[in-house]
Amino acid sequence: MAKEPVRVLVTGAAGQIGYALVPMIARGIMLGADQPVILHMLDIPPAAEALNGVKMELVDAAFPLLKGCTGVNIAVMVGGFSRKEGMERKDVMSKNVSIYKSQAAAPNYKVLVVANPANTNALILKEFAPSIPEKNITCLTRLDHNRALGQISERLSVPVSDVKNVIIWGNHSSTQYPDVNHAKVQTSSKEKPVQFISTVQQRGAAIIKARKLSSALSAASSACDHIHDWVLGTPEGTFFSMGVYSDGSYNVPSGLIYSFPVTCRNGEWSIVQGLPIDEVSRKKMDLTAEELKEEKDLAYSCLS
Ligand code: NAX
């Protein structure tokens, strides 16, 4: 019997990540090749014409899984204000957290926040949307996770599918801690995963330098991976990184959206427990938590 369609909302759908993301959803990359989807695309009035163009292209692509457009089960929130030259961090923060505060009226569905500052936007959404269970609000650090897998695969010359269980701890920013201590690599090489922390932390900036535009196809693909594994589950023995509401695991202060290693079953994520943390890792995990606390304070000062 044909499955009931799942309704997916994409905010910022006329932007560059939105443009790369919606055909992936319509093609079944996010929720599976047998899952019909209903796309709900949102943007601001100045982007209405461009959004209509995206809609026309979706019709032209004749995706068999794509149905009409109503209601929502999953929201991928890409919509936001991008930093312009000369703007202070506080100005960008102020514009974005205001957007996320106003979108907090959203009902009870699974939310993935992509727009930056992703962790803090997700936190504001969580704090101002008490009707959404905190377990339903997450942010994207899967792109950083996938970047870490890609770097190890390139440096050890192994297929990326032979690498698993890297961890991105903390903020989706340059203080994130890409951790290879628990990574597993299927290789006969004796070489250890090499020093690559700064490459992963600075990858977004390197892409902007090369492309003169920020990451879009890899961000869209990672957003699909995030929702795919959250809804359909993680493979046995494998974990992924997700920005989730901290419950104090690994002594990360609660009350922050922090990236942890998670496994998913039956549409629910759980933080992987009991991984040993060495002193170097501890310092890096605390540093990125500190930045998130500062961002939280800044966000609240912008909203008051
Ligand atoms: P674009 O500027 O191309 O697109 C953003 C879209 O959001 C625009 O179409 C704009 O009209 C729309 N928008 C603005 N305010 C809105 C509102 N109130 N409601 C709905 N839509 C609204 O940016 P793009 O390159 O697509 O990036 C989108 C966001 O993703 C940015 O904040 C960016 O920094 C962030 N990123 C996050 C990543 C992550 O891993 N978490 C990686 C990629 C990306 O840098």
Side-chain angles (χ1 to χ4, degrees), residues 75-77 100 109-115 118-119 121-123 125-126 132-141 226-227 230 241-245 257-258 262 264 269:
V76 185
M77 308 191 77
Y100 280 77
Y109 44 71
K110 283 185 164 60
V111 179
L112 165 60
V113 176
V114 177
N119 301 55
N121 284 340
L123 182 68
L125 191 68
K126 185 234 158 251
I132 310 181
E134 63 197 31
K135 279 226 128 188
N136 284 18
I137 299 183
T138 65
C139 83
L140 186 71
T141 54
H226 177 117
I227 297 286
W230 188 3
S241 307
M242 229 189 216
V244 298
Y245 194 62
I257 300 269
Y258 189 97
V262 302
C264 304
W269 54 263

Side-chain angles (χ1 to χ4, degrees), residues 19 43 71 94 103 112 123 133-134 139-140 150 155 177 181 191 196 206 228 252 280 286 297-299 304:
Y19 185 76
D43 212 296
S94 171
Q103 290 180 343
L112 165 60
L123 182 68
E134 63 197 31
C139 83
L140 186 71
R155 288 170 193 224
Y177 171 39
N181 288 314
E191 218 178 326
F196 77 134
H228 180 276
V252 171
V280 175
D286 291 345
D297 292 344
L298 183 59
S304 59

Side-chain angles (χ1 to χ4, degrees), residues 155-220:
R155 288 170 193 224
L156 299 185
S157 299
V158 293
V160 74
S161 52
D162 286 358
V163 189
K164 63 180 189 177
N165 296 357
V166 295
I167 303 170
I168 303 298
W169 298 100
N171 199 1
H172 169 68
S173 78
S174 58
T175 68
Q176 67 178 247
Y177 171 39
D179 181 358
V180 292
N181 288 314
H182 313 280
K184 292 196 176 146
V185 184
Q186 266 179 30
T187 172
S188 52
S189 155
K190 293 274 172 288
E191 218 178 326
K192 285 259 178 225
V194 271
Q195 181 60 30
F196 77 134
I197 292 176
S198 62
T199 308
V200 175
Q201 288 172 331
Q202 302 299 333
R203 188 69 163 181
I207 286 168
I208 292 175
K209 192 158 175 255
R211 222 171 72 84
K212 315 288 177 274
L213 285 170
S214 55
S215 335
L217 88 86
S218 54

Side-chain angles (χ1 to χ4, degrees), residues 11-18 42-44 47 78-82 96 99 103 113-118 140-141 143-144 147 172 214-216 219:
T11 73
Q16 55 152 1
I17 295 177
L42 183 79
D43 212 296
I44 50 175
V78 186
F81 192 88
S82 302
N96 281 296
I99 292 173
Q103 290 180 343
V113 176
V114 177
N116 282 317
L140 186 71
T141 54
L143 174 55
D144 307 298
R147 283 169 173 164
H172 169 68
S214 55
S215 335

Side-chain angles (χ1 to χ4, degrees), residues 9-37:
L9 166 69
V10 178
T11 73
Q16 55 152 1
I17 295 177
Y19 185 76
L21 179 61
V22 289
M24 291 185 190
I25 300 172
R27 221 171 231 298
I29 291 171
M30 179 179 275
L31 293 166
D34 60 345
Q35 177 60 66
V37 284

